[in-house]
Amino acid sequence: MIDQTSPIEISQVIQLSVAPVFLLVGIAGFVNAFVARLGRVVDRRRHLAHLMHAPDARRRELTARELRILDDRARLVHWGMTLCITTAMLVCLTIVTVFLDFLFEMEHPRLVGAMFVLAMVSLITALGLFLREVFLAVESLTLSNREG
């Protein structure tokens, strides 16, 4: 138990568990980026909704295509945010498990490793969704350039 633990051992566990905190800061940055991108998608969608009633058939067609892309982008951003938050939760659970293992002299290295691997898979998937959303944004940009 903790009664026989030296301050040096406790400080080492704290040092080991602080490293994932930097990962949490990076994840927070991605969540922030996803939120900003979602706001842009929503604003653009609202703007395009008014153009759906335009008399020009070609403009309505391009607007409808762009709206479909915006819907796809919103879906990707939603899943990206969900996965980033899932990653953050897994990192936090990993930190808690490391501390509990130390405090109660339990050994769950496979559990800690599995949670960290799951966190990385979740983060990699979120980054992939972010990249796909960026590609769709560029595609949407080329559509709006054709409109003008």
Side-chain angles (χ1 to χ4, degrees):
M1 277 284 191
I2 188 105
D3 297 337
Q4 299 131 3
T5 306
S6 75
I8 293 173
E9 290 175 310
I10 292 174
S11 69
Q12 288 173 338
V13 171
I14 291 171
Q15 287 173 350
L16 287 174
S17 64
V18 167
V21 172
F22 293 107
L23 179 59
L24 290 174
V25 171
I27 293 166
F30 275 111
V31 170
N32 216 3
F34 276 125
V35 168
R37 295 188 77 78
L38 183 60
R40 302 277 305 194
V41 167
V42 168
D43 290 344
R44 180 71 178 155
R45 196 169 200 312
R46 285 182 182 149
H47 172 73
L48 289 177
H50 296 294
L51 298 178
M52 282 304 293
H53 305 292
D56 180 17
R58 177 74 176 141
R59 180 175 291 279
R60 281 196 312 271
E61 177 188 329
L62 288 172
T63 300
R65 282 181 58 196
E66 191 174 349
L67 284 170
R68 283 191 297 274
I69 291 172
L70 287 171
D71 288 343
D72 290 343
R73 286 180 62 195
R75 196 172 6 271
L76 290 169
V77 167
H78 170 261
W79 279 107
M81 286 174 36
T82 300
L83 287 169
C84 279
I85 292 167
T86 300
T87 301
M89 290 171 57
L90 285 166
V91 169
C92 289
L93 286 171
T94 301
I95 293 168
V96 167
T97 304
V98 167
F99 266 103
L100 291 177
D101 278 0
F102 175 74
L103 292 174
F104 297 110
E105 296 179 359
M106 304 177 337
E107 292 189 23
H108 295 102
R110 290 183 186 200
L111 176 62
V112 170
M115 283 191 299
F116 190 75
V117 167
L118 284 174
M120 291 302 97
V121 168
S122 181
L123 182 59
I124 290 166
T125 306
L127 292 172
L129 292 174
F130 184 78
L131 185 60
R132 178 68 183 134
E133 193 274 334
V134 169
F135 288 158
L136 284 177
V138 171
E139 182 181 337
S140 180
L141 180 63
T142 60
L143 274 179
S144 59
N145 284 341
R146 282 190 224 159
E147 266 182 37

